[in-house]
Amino acid sequence: MSTKVADHVLQRLREWGVEHVFGYPGDGINGLLAAWGRADNQPLFIQSRHEEMSAFQAVGYAKFSGRLGVCAATSGPGAIHLLNGLYDAKLDHVPVLAIVGQTHRTAMGGSYQQEVDLHTLYKDVASDFVETVTVPEQLPNVLDRAIRTAYARRAPTAVIIPGDVQELEYSAPTHEFKMVPSSLDSSSWTATPADDSVRRAAEILNSGDKVAILVGQGASGARAEVEQIAELLGAGVAKALLGKDALSDELPYVTGAIGLLGTRPSYELMRDCDTLLTIGSSFPYTQFLPDFGKARGVQIDIDPHMVGMRYPYEVNLVGDAKATLERLIPLIRSEERGREWYDTVCDNVARWHEVMDRRANLSADPINPEYVTRALDPLLPDNAIVSSDSGSAANWYARHLTMRPGMRGSLSGTLATMGCGVPYAIGAKFAHPDRPAIALVGDGAMQMNGLAELITAAKYKDLWEDPRLVVGIFNNHDLNQVTWEMRAMEGAPSFLPSQELPDVQYAAFARSLGLTGIRVEKPEDVAAAWHAGLEADGPAVIEFLTDPAVPPIPPHATWDQMEATAASILKGDADRGSMIRQGFKAKMQDFLQGREGRDKKSG
């Protein structure tokens, strides 16, 4: 039997080790779908409810496996639907390949049905590599280069294949003029900076008395080295949200997340340090980094295009985090540095944990969302994979979940798009079918697309060795993050026509699919519900009726800022009384804990 172009596409993917393709069918990829039938569904075609979800699942798969995520869609509308997930991959530096169909070559340029200029459409999102295959001999080089580029640049790439080309008999490129051969081998490599740069970086770090380290996802392969250099420098370590699982939160000097969703000790670490070492992070919010001129800086990043643009670093070390730290650590002198800074950082972290425990245990109507996440924390298995959607749920994920060695966690860090939480978890289940996955999702994101993707979870649950996929929903009938941003940033009360959400019976919908569904209306039932979800023999949905008035207070919020927000609320917010009470109670925990700390020192 002859081999068609579509057959060779799937064969080449298998040769690259691709085991799953997340997609949605359409006539623009009919040739590929027929090839899947001939190939006994290898690699496995995972059908989502929407092409955007296919892209998100590919991103989740890539984030939690380190391997290439692959998604596929038809021409026109299908290819367009992939864009949001592909931009998520682009901005968070994740290797993803999109394979999309196109109208037949004979119809191109004729304003044909579903004809879109895909090359132009994808030129930004897949800026590192996008190409259209027009003849069979072009295929191996285009596909191989797309995959190599996705891995090397940690970026999305795209291959566009017109429908009629998919049906052509495959013929390999020949040894002739204007033919481009290709090969599969892709040897590993490691980038390291020059010796002189490493020495200059060591001099800066050795001269600092109060060293702060900021890590991102680029430090995830260098856990032991980050711990070693932090202990040698007596440094505190803050984490960008994409690097939440790069280092254990159980270490006493790890201050947690940084930024608006971050912690008070991370804010204090950056405010008071005299030296900053950034490893594998492009955290963009300069206002949360040390004041310019106050701290000397060193950066380590594998991407030369991403260095030197977030802070005025004196030395930018371009290289792999692990390999670079292995060369830097022997040059660090620890014996001359006192312990006062280190002890201060650790004390700040310990006090913060007490504050957060107090906040989580504050009463609310009906349930405090901070308590929902706090109750989950000790129940998480050591091999759990946690995804968070964007919105107020990300605040509680950032501040209340303790990442331990072996656990993984991620969210849409740079694009901060809604709707990624559930498809990320599904992608994680295919990357690691033997591990439990937990998604923390607001009711807005759940209504946007999470409900539909429960159907996908129900469809594939029997393929997972560990069938647990727990979706925890913060049901507060409000697009809560934007509501609070309006109050704090715009000085405006909540605009109910845009912010208020209908009450959906999420647990009942899950049960209609044959999944576990639990609705929690009282705080005393929260822990038992998490237990039940984590012990279920398949996917579970737990909806918690949470209080929208619990404020995601930024770590640097002062009493003056709290009063300004309260004043804006009093202009006419429908929920103004309860919000002021909850905000006051939450901020009081900072005040009380700070006073207790001072009393202990004075005593």
Side-chain angles (χ1 to χ4, degrees), residues 207 234 255 261 310 335 403 406 457 466 470:
S207 68
T255 60
L261 278 61
R310 304 303 189 197
E335 62 278 359
M403 284 289 159
D466 183 331
V470 182

Side-chain angles (χ1 to χ4, degrees), residues 115-452:
E115 182 188 359
V116 173
D117 184 353
L118 294 180
H119 207 280
T120 299
L121 181 73
Y122 273 62
K123 193 57 184 174
D124 180 53
V125 71
S127 56
D128 285 299
F129 188 85
V130 55
E131 193 53 72
T132 300
V133 176
T134 58
V135 294
E137 293 82 1
Q138 187 187 1
L139 178 65
N141 174 65
V142 168
L143 191 56
D144 290 351
R145 194 172 180 207
I147 293 173
R148 284 198 184 92
T149 302
Y151 273 125
R153 302 284 177 85
R154 299 169 296 117
T157 57
V159 174
I160 303 163
I161 311 177
D164 59 325
V165 174
Q166 298 170 32
E167 299 285 357
L168 296 176
E169 288 194 19
Y170 175 70
S171 56
T174 59
H175 191 234
E176 295 179 16
F177 183 52
K178 293 194 176 180
M179 288 282 187
V180 182
S182 188
S183 58
L184 274 168
D185 184 62
S186 184
S187 300
S188 60
W189 55 275
T190 301
T192 55
D195 290 342
D196 179 65
S197 297
V198 175
R199 282 194 295 269
R200 289 192 294 120
E203 290 171 4
I204 293 170
L205 296 173
N206 285 326
S207 68
D209 293 318
K210 301 177 179 180
V211 182
I213 298 176
L214 171 61
V215 298
Q217 64 178 347
S220 59
R223 182 187 298 265
E225 290 75 18
V226 172
E227 289 184 26
Q228 187 176 356
I229 198 167
E231 290 162 5
L232 286 171
L233 292 169
V237 182
K239 300 189 289 187
L241 273 182
L242 285 174
K244 183 171 173 62
D245 62 0
L247 203 62
S248 173
D249 286 309
E250 294 179 315
L251 296 169
Y253 53 82
V254 172
T255 60
I258 188 174
L260 281 171
L261 278 61
T263 70
R264 182 78 187 181
S266 289
Y267 172 75
E268 294 166 336
L269 178 75
M270 295 295 159
R271 182 194 64 191
D272 299 334
C273 71
D274 62 17
T275 308
L276 173 63
L277 171 61
T278 299
I279 306 170
S281 173
S282 184
F283 176 75
Y285 300 111
T286 302
Q287 68 269 36
F288 289 98
L289 298 179
D291 289 342
F292 294 165
K294 183 179 180 181
R296 304 182 71 185
V298 173
Q299 182 178 18
I300 300 172
D301 201 284
I302 199 168
D303 190 344
H305 298 92
M306 298 299 292
V307 297
M309 65 178 184
R310 304 303 189 197
Y311 193 78
Y313 298 102
E314 291 183 50
V315 178
N316 295 308
L317 299 177
V318 178
D320 172 76
K322 180 180 176 66
T324 302
L325 288 171
E326 285 175 343
R327 297 175 62 189
L328 181 60
I329 286 170
L331 304 180
I332 299 300
R333 300 190 303 271
S334 61
E335 62 278 359
E336 301 172 6
R337 190 173 282 104
R339 300 286 295 181
E340 183 178 353
W341 170 247
Y342 176 85
D343 291 340
T344 298
V345 170
C346 293
D347 288 346
N348 289 344
V349 171
R351 282 198 298 272
W352 173 256
H353 289 318
E354 294 178 18
V355 168
M356 295 310 292
D357 189 58
R358 290 188 182 196
R359 284 193 193 176
N361 284 286
L362 292 173
S363 61
D365 183 20
I367 301 173
N368 186 339
E370 299 197 60
Y371 177 66
V372 170
T373 316
R374 197 78 173 178
L376 169 65
D377 186 49
L379 305 179
L380 284 172
D382 289 337
N383 65 340
I385 299 173
V386 184
S387 66
S388 171
D389 219 297
S390 297
S392 59
N395 290 272
W396 320 135
Y397 162 81
R399 296 173 181 168
H400 286 286
L401 285 192
T402 304
M403 284 289 159
R404 303 188 296 275
M407 290 173 56
R408 296 296 313 277
S410 195
L411 76 177
S412 178
T414 312
L415 188 60
T417 178
M418 282 179 66
C420 65
V422 175
Y424 267 21
I426 292 172
K429 290 298 295 182
F430 283 102
H432 300 285
D434 59 338
R435 299 175 66 169
I438 298 93
L440 302 178
V441 185
D443 48 355
M446 204 64 193
Q447 291 180 24
M448 181 178 284
N449 54 37
L451 278 168

Side-chain angles (χ1 to χ4, degrees), residues 451-520:
L451 278 168
E453 284 312 296
L454 292 179
I455 301 171
T456 304
K459 177 180 174 70
Y460 292 106
K461 61 185 177 64
D462 293 336
L463 297 184
W464 303 327
E465 180 182 337
D466 183 331
R468 291 176 294 172
L469 192 166
V470 182
V471 180
I473 304 168
F474 297 82
N475 184 1
N476 57 22
H477 312 158
D478 183 52
L479 290 170
N480 202 234
Q481 186 74 11
V482 172
T483 293
W484 280 105
E485 288 170 349
M486 288 174 62
R487 291 165 180 155
M489 298 178 185
E490 303 298 325
S494 176
F495 179 56
L496 291 181
S498 74
Q499 300 308 109
E500 192 174 34
L501 291 169
D503 184 15
V504 173
Q505 301 296 307
Y506 305 98
F509 180 73
R511 290 193 295 270
S512 76
L513 299 173
L515 310 180
T516 298
I518 304 170
R519 183 177 171 98
V520 183

